[in-house]
Amino acid sequence: TKIEDIIVQVGRTGKLTPVAMLKPVSIGGTTVSRATLHNMDEIVRLGVKIGDWVEVERGGDVIPKVNRVVEDKDHLRGHKTFRMPQNCPVCGGQVVRTEGEADHRCVNANCPAKLRETILHFASRGVMNIDGMGDALVNQLTDRGLVRNVADIYKITKDDLLKLERFADKSAQNVLNEIEASKKLPLDRVIYGLGIRFVGERTAQFLAEHFGSMNALMNAGEEDLLEVEEVGPRIAQSIREFFQEPKNRELVEQLRRAGLTLSGKKKERGTKLAGKTFVLTGTLAHYTRDEAKKLIEDAGGRVSGSVSKKTDYVVAGDDAGSKLDKAKQLRVKVINESEMANLVAG
DNA sequence: CTAATGTGCGGACTGGCGCC
DNA sequence: GGCGCCAGTCCGCACATTAG
């Protein structure tokens, strides 16, 4: 199909992601109209220009991927070269590509796009799980200045919500209930929710287990941080920089006052699956993926996202895709979910 | 009541880069 | 240098709720 335009999206960390806007095309039963181009290097590698015809594929039947530029006499090349903007398309702030890095980033700390994405991340299911706080609500909240940081979420009143578009009593109350419920979530979620660069779900869990409280984490020195699993110098530095910022320390205090869980106990893990790495694929019948993951981790195992020769087991449910193929290729042991349950039980 | 709208769910890929 | 986490990305569908 044809690339009609290339737009730029700004993420939570300020990363500018170029996205190809395609002439809609039906692939495998769904209509594909966008595909990520990742970064400038990828655009150069593919050699794409705006107006080009390209071959698009859905990796694993889901994610649209631009494979290559089609060059034949029917499909003339486009003429407009895409250039990464020098100013953020959202806030106009300076865009910088650091030496040695592939991504361009907006460096304005107050960029509204970053705020918006940070709030969305915080509210998302894998983090504070605030059901109902998606795109539309977050846009309204940030546009109206009702939410300027993640702690402001806990100051939202019903009156605030009722003034918003498409909000009546039922929706407003649902959101408030969800916000209230989020306060009970454990420390690792809160750490993850802060949006510290290089600290994702897994690293946040290790940090919570190691330090046992937000206070201990906030005041940790470099050497303390380096003791944590999977934390090296770059991650340690990123965490220290985050907590050296007075605004961020104040943010944590606001979360504390709001009643969030900022301490936990050092988690005890089982040992039955110690040292074993699992990969989940397909649809499981008796567990959600999160439940299966928790079972494995509580038994001392690890769950990762991709199959390699270090993977011990691939747990395959219905409609397993490319990961199952990879497992066969690498001769990794494939089991079903009841076999997994047996392993967990010992 | 119906139509429109917003959101979660659930599947998964990718390149970059940090860690070991 | 390999591995795997991080951060970003996709879409259709089901469902709840609101506006009209």
Side-chain angles (χ1 to χ4, degrees), chain A residues 272-273 278 286-287 292 295-296 299 313 315 333 335-346:
Chain A
K272 289 192 181 89
L273 301 181
F278 290 71
H286 299 296
Y287 313 103
L295 278 177
I296 292 167
Y313 299 99
V315 183
K333 186 152 198 200
I335 61 176
N336 62 33
E337 62 182 292
S338 62
E339 289 172 306
M340 178 199 76
N342 287 338
L343 285 175
V344 169

Side-chain angles (χ1 to χ4, degrees), chain A residues 42-326:
Chain A
E42 177 76 352
I43 289 175
V44 171
R45 191 180 70 77
L46 289 165
V48 287
K49 294 184 175 185
I50 296 166
D52 278 356
W53 282 72
V54 290
E55 179 185 289
V56 176
E57 179 181 69
R58 290 206 308 152
D61 274 351
V62 183
I63 317 279
K65 170 184 171 21
V66 176
N67 272 343
R68 63 187 182 94
V69 176
V70 176
E71 292 184 84
D72 63 41
K73 48 184 176 297
D74 296 327
H75 295 145
L76 295 173
R77 296 293 312 273
H79 313 290
K80 205 172 153 205
T81 305
F82 169 79
R83 286 184 201 290
M84 193 61 84
Q86 296 190 335
N87 295 92
C88 172
V90 177
C91 71
Q94 201 190 350
V95 169
V96 169
R97 179 178 179 177
T98 305
E99 184 70 28
E101 288 194 3
D103 295 333
H104 289 73
R105 300 196 132 82
C106 166
V107 296
N108 173 14
N110 297 316
C111 175
K114 285 190 197 174
L115 172 63
R116 184 179 164 275
E117 297 302 320
T118 300
I119 304 297
L120 277 171
H121 166 72
F122 187 88
S124 69
R125 194 162 62 105
V127 191
M128 300 308 282
N129 194 24
I130 304 175
D131 212 337
M133 244 181 115
D135 238 17
L137 175 53
V138 171
N139 279 341
Q140 293 193 66
L141 290 172
T142 53
D143 285 353
R144 290 168 190 241
L146 288 168
V147 169
R148 291 199 216 69
N149 60 40
V150 294
D152 284 346
I153 292 171
Y154 296 94
K155 297 173 185 159
I156 298 171
T157 65
K158 197 173 211 175
D159 275 350
D160 291 335
L161 292 171
L162 291 175
K163 286 176 197 151
L164 305 180
E165 265 166 56
R166 296 194 64 84
F167 263 84
D169 197 83
K170 181 73 176 170
S171 306
Q173 193 55 53
N174 285 349
V175 169
L176 290 176
N177 293 346
E178 289 290 327
I179 291 173
E180 191 58 32
S182 76
K183 296 179 183 174
K184 301 266 189 302
L185 290 179
L187 175 63
D188 62 283
R189 301 282 193 118
V190 185
I191 294 172
Y192 184 24
L194 291 176
I196 304 168
R197 180 129 100 111
F198 303 132
V199 177
E201 183 183 12
R202 192 184 188 84
T203 306
Q205 279 172 19
F206 287 135
L207 289 169
E209 284 174 31
H210 185 93
F211 290 107
S213 75
M214 189 68 89
N215 269 346
L217 173 63
M218 267 202 294
N219 298 315
E222 183 171 11
E223 292 193 0
D224 304 321
L225 290 164
L226 290 174
E227 281 175 27
V228 182
E229 257 183 283
E230 291 187 5
V231 174
R234 294 292 288 271
I235 296 180
Q237 192 197 348
S238 173
I239 295 169
R240 295 206 65 201
E241 277 174 9
F242 184 89
F243 286 118
Q244 272 165 17
E245 182 65 47
K247 260 189 194 171
N248 291 331
R249 300 183 79 90
E250 174 55 25
L251 181 69
V252 170
E253 289 320 308
Q254 289 179 37
L255 292 175
R256 191 188 310 282
R257 284 198 288 275
L260 271 71
T261 312
L262 298 190
S263 61
K265 54 176 181 289
K266 312 202 172 185
K267 193 168 159 192
E268 298 232 353
R269 288 198 156 143
T271 53
K272 289 192 181 89
L273 301 181
K276 300 293 181 191
T277 301
F278 290 71
V279 172
L280 305 173
T281 186
T283 311
L284 305 178
H286 299 296
Y287 313 103
T288 66
R289 287 169 87 97
D290 280 349
E291 285 165 355
K293 189 173 165 199
K294 190 169 187 311
L295 278 177
I296 292 167
E297 285 177 349
D298 286 350
R302 294 168 56 111
V303 176
S304 85
S306 56
V307 182
S308 74
K309 63 186 176 188
K310 285 194 176 175
T311 308
D312 294 291
Y313 299 99
V314 169
V315 183
D318 284 345
D319 297 323
S322 61
K323 292 180 201 172
L324 182 54
D325 300 336
K326 183 92 183 260

